[in-house]
Amino acid sequence: MDSLDIQRYPDNYEAMSVESALLAEKITCQLRNLIYSSTSIPKQEYLVRASQMHDIGISYEDGILKLNMPRLLPKKKARHSSVFLVDPLNAALEHYGKEHPLPHFRECVVCISHIFNHELPDWCLLDYDNLQQKQILDAIALHVMADDSGLLCDAFNTTELGEQDGTEISIMEKERFPKWLYDRQERLKSISDFS
């Protein structure tokens, strides 16, 4: 992949990188199962450690639950793609809930900020419907929402460029959303002022 000319062969680079990533996910999921069956480490303990390796962060402040995660994976037919992040995310939420009170939202807004490294070419920015959001939202809803149906939960997706890839998910009561959106726009404006 390092020797491939991305500018001349973007499709080849994309195919190679996706195939490599999917293979790595499959291997990781298989290794997890091997650890569960052949060691004394409890599954939950391993998954909490896996969530830390993925830099999954959770905080709750001023009525807003914020989750920081790696960039969401593209939708592909490989079933291991969603398990790769969902299991550690579930473990992280359970672990956080034991040490901090988790909110429970009946009606809420879920804001998903897709952050892409500013050095990536534009063709690497994925459409929202090509990302595996559903499994992630289902896992979060299980812990902090009455339901993630459209009747109770509004969704807001946005893309921004940053220093590194990632996903930031903010969940709040609906009346907090206008201020969250204003603060986000001001933050992005101040970032662009210094670039």
Side-chain angles (χ1 to χ4, degrees):
M1 286 173 60
D2 282 343
S3 63
L4 187 66
D5 184 345
I6 299 173
Q7 300 300 327
R8 290 183 62 193
Y9 305 105
D11 292 339
N12 291 355
Y13 184 82
E14 180 178 348
M16 286 176 67
S17 58
V18 168
E19 187 62 32
S20 298
L22 290 173
L23 183 59
E25 290 163 23
K26 184 175 182 180
I27 291 168
T28 298
C29 292
Q30 289 173 344
L31 282 172
R32 284 180 189 165
N33 290 330
L34 180 64
I35 288 169
Y36 306 151
S37 65
S38 64
T39 71
S40 61
I41 298 172
K43 179 178 181 178
Q44 185 68 9
E45 179 185 324
Y46 176 82
L47 288 173
V48 168
R49 290 167 63 183
S51 74
Q52 293 164 350
M53 289 301 295
H54 287 298
D55 293 325
I56 294 175
I58 303 169
S59 63
Y60 181 59
E61 191 176 325
D62 297 328
I64 299 175
L65 180 69
K66 188 164 90 172
L67 296 98
N68 289 302
M69 302 176 43
R71 190 172 93 187
L72 294 183
L73 301 168
K75 284 183 188 173
K76 294 294 173 190
K77 294 180 181 173
R79 63 186 177 86
H80 297 288
S81 297
S82 60
V83 175
F84 185 71
L85 281 178
V86 170
D87 284 353
L89 174 61
N90 267 316
L93 283 162
E94 285 179 27
H95 182 71
Y96 183 87
K98 288 177 184 174
E99 298 180 3
H100 308 89
L102 276 171
H104 187 73
F105 299 101
R106 172 156 170 67
E107 296 184 22
C108 63
V109 178
V110 177
C111 305
I112 304 176
S113 301
H114 304 278
I115 303 164
F116 292 88
N117 186 310
H118 64 88
E119 295 179 359
L120 289 174
D122 288 347
W123 60 264
C124 288
L125 306 181
L126 299 171
D127 294 339
Y128 301 134
D129 61 343
N130 289 333
L131 295 167
Q132 291 192 356
Q133 298 181 150
K134 182 180 179 349
Q135 295 87 348
I136 299 296
L137 286 179
D138 287 345
I140 296 169
L142 180 68
H143 296 275
V144 299
M145 295 182 210
D147 195 335
D148 63 346
S149 100
L151 295 174
L152 298 176
C153 179
D154 293 336
F156 176 77
N157 280 276
T158 185
T159 295
E160 61 187 78
L161 300 177
E163 291 300 313
Q164 62 184 27
D165 294 339
T167 305
E168 184 178 287
I169 301 174
S170 301
I171 305 163
M172 66 205 74
E173 293 174 347
K174 292 184 178 187
E175 60 268 14
R176 291 187 185 271
F177 177 67
K179 181 176 183 332
W180 177 91
L181 184 59
Y182 176 81
D183 290 346
R184 178 188 175 275
Q185 290 170 330
E186 287 299 305
R187 178 176 57 86
L188 291 181
K189 182 180 173 193
S190 67
I191 289 171
S192 65
D193 286 345
F194 292 109
S195 345

